[in-house]
Amino acid sequence: MGKLDFLKHSIMRDRKSVSYHYDIGNNFYRLFLDDEMIYSCAYFVLGNETIDEAQQKKMDYICRKLRLKKNDKFLDIGCGWGGLIIFAAENYGVNSTGITISKEQYELVCQRIEERGLRQKCTVQLFDYRRLKNEHKKYDKIASIGMIEHVGLKRLQGYFQVIHDVLKNEGLFLNHGITTRRVKKRRGTGSAFMDKCIFPDAELINASYISQQAEEKGFELLDIESLRRHYAKTLECWTRRLEMNSKEAIQIAGEKTYRTWLLYLAGCCNVFRSGEVNVYQMLMAKSNHGLEGVGLTRDELYRQNDLIRKI
């Protein structure tokens, strides 16, 4: 069983699994996501923000947690449609690199970088995170947003090893991912519907086990924050927007896909509300290295609720 689990997350199989979910068509995702097409938990400071406002605040929050500064080399693993790398380049002056294994995402990110005139500050590459070890590049800051769910339990140590190897000694790493409260480790998401119809080969892992594996690979856990209630609100927004655009969704993807995705979004909203699953942001640094630029308290993260330009 262990060998089968390991083979399940081969580079080729992971590419097929990701394509199954993310390559439905960019126009389908535009129907329920925000303008920047951020497909992960938003951040609601006041609670009454629109999904566009909340996603902008989430990206700014991540940038501030990572203490991004001008000319930092920033890597986003599983960059989606490029929202974070573009935001970080435009608002923090970093040199952003994003990687994805979704062909449709890659093509749209390339287009968006070109349209915004960011070719000197943004790069996107179509390859698996495991190939990073062959790139011989080092990054000041790294983010992985909503990607760890696709890594697999058996490959978790390898995931953290790759990130540790390409992160500079004074660098920071932020891992943002969905977790299960089940301590017992088992395959899948815990839902036959999700495993078969939505996220084939995805695995939800307990937060304590994730942090343990990161520490064993040389990371110091600096901060951990639950955004579970934020994700429930995010999913509520997505569900409502997809319902409002039902006719277009059916035209693009067919009625079966529309109804499947509506059930998926609404069901996930309820699961996050119940606390059966959670989403955590974990901020880490390499152990035994200085933490230049990291304050002693969280005040620097919370003192500014509005977006601020750093450059």
Side-chain angles (χ1 to χ4, degrees):
M1 180 67 71
K3 185 177 180 180
L4 290 176
D5 284 349
F6 196 75
L7 292 174
K8 180 177 71 172
H9 286 284
S10 67
I11 290 178
M12 183 170 291
R13 180 155 172 170
D14 278 350
R15 187 181 297 120
K16 290 181 179 179
S17 298
V18 165
S19 178
Y20 176 86
H21 184 88
Y22 293 96
D23 291 343
I24 296 175
N26 294 334
N27 288 335
F28 179 80
Y29 282 96
R30 283 192 180 100
L31 298 177
F32 64 92
L33 298 180
D34 62 299
D35 288 342
E36 297 297 321
M37 296 182 70
I38 308 300
Y39 191 33
S40 56
C41 175
Y43 185 62
F44 296 85
V45 176
L46 302 175
N48 59 355
E49 293 94 339
T50 66
I51 189 65
D52 290 276
E53 292 168 340
Q55 290 292 13
Q56 290 285 307
K57 290 180 178 180
K58 187 273 291 294
M59 290 189 290
D60 189 61
Y61 196 33
I62 289 171
C63 291
R64 285 188 280 126
K65 280 190 173 183
L66 285 169
R67 281 73 173 179
L68 291 184
K69 59 184 185 298
K70 190 173 182 179
N71 295 325
D72 272 352
K73 292 181 179 178
F74 170 57
L75 172 67
D76 185 10
I77 299 174
C79 67
W81 288 277
L84 181 58
I85 62 171
I86 290 172
F87 181 92
E90 290 182 333
N91 293 275
Y92 285 77
V94 304
N95 298 304
S96 295
T97 299
I99 62 172
T100 178
I101 57 175
S102 165
K103 188 172 183 292
E104 291 210 18
Q105 288 183 339
Y106 168 77
E107 290 174 350
L108 184 58
V109 179
C110 289
Q111 178 185 328
R112 295 178 68 194
I113 289 172
E114 185 70 27
E115 290 173 348
R116 299 200 188 192
L118 291 171
R119 281 191 297 172
Q120 300 303 314
K121 301 295 291 184
C122 279
T123 303
V124 62
Q125 300 181 57
L126 183 65
F127 69 72
D128 190 279
Y129 75 93
R130 283 163 281 198
R131 285 181 52 193
L132 286 168
K133 60 186 178 183
N134 302 322
E135 293 295 296
H136 305 295
K137 294 180 181 178
K138 292 280 189 177
Y139 296 90
D140 298 289
K141 313 288 169 60
I142 300 175
S144 174
I145 313 299
M147 207 289 286
I148 196 171
E149 300 90 335
H150 303 287
V151 170
L153 184 68
K154 298 294 183 180
R155 291 190 181 271
L156 201 57
Q157 283 201 359
Y159 167 76
F160 284 118
Q161 184 66 64
V162 168
I163 295 168
H164 189 273
D165 289 345
V166 299
L167 182 66
K168 292 181 180 179
N169 286 343
E170 299 297 331
L172 296 174
F173 167 50
L174 187 139
N175 191 87
H176 170 126
I178 301 171
T179 67
T180 176
R181 68 181 181 186
R182 296 191 309 267
V183 176
K184 185 178 179 180
K185 299 180 282 295
R186 68 185 191 191
R187 298 172 62 187
T189 64
S191 164
F193 167 72
M194 292 286 288
D195 294 342
K196 181 179 180 180
C197 301
I198 305 297
F199 283 116
D201 292 348
E203 295 182 50
L204 299 186
I205 305 169
N206 183 268
S208 60
Y209 187 75
I210 292 173
S211 61
Q212 175 192 339
Q213 296 300 296
E215 288 176 325
E216 287 186 6
K217 285 302 176 182
F219 282 104
E220 177 183 358
L221 188 60
L222 303 180
D223 187 86
I224 179 168
E225 181 177 11
S226 166
L227 297 180
R228 177 179 64 82
R229 292 183 295 169
H230 294 262
Y231 216 166
K233 289 183 69 65
T234 303
L235 286 155
E236 182 181 352
C237 291
W238 289 347
T239 304
R240 187 165 56 248
R241 287 163 70 98
L242 185 58
E243 282 185 304
M244 290 172 57
N245 294 295
S246 59
K247 290 183 179 179
E248 284 187 74
I250 292 171
Q251 287 177 349
I252 292 170
E255 186 166 357
K256 180 180 178 181
T257 297
Y258 163 70
R259 292 190 178 277
T260 299
W261 246 247
L262 193 65
L263 179 60
Y264 146 60
L265 294 174
C268 285
C269 180
N270 287 329
V271 170
F272 274 97
R273 282 176 175 162
S274 72
E276 182 65 27
V277 295
N278 211 317
V279 58
Y280 285 101
Q281 286 188 352
M282 299 179 180
L283 182 67
M284 311 176 195
K286 283 191 176 183
S287 299
N288 304 319
H289 291 286
L291 295 173
E292 182 181 354
V294 179
L296 295 174
T297 72
R298 288 176 167 175
D299 287 351
E300 60 187 306
L301 299 180
Y302 300 132
R303 73 166 70 105
Q304 180 67 51
N305 289 331
D306 297 323
L307 295 182
I308 50 177
R309 292 188 65 87
K310 305 293 184 181
I311 57 175

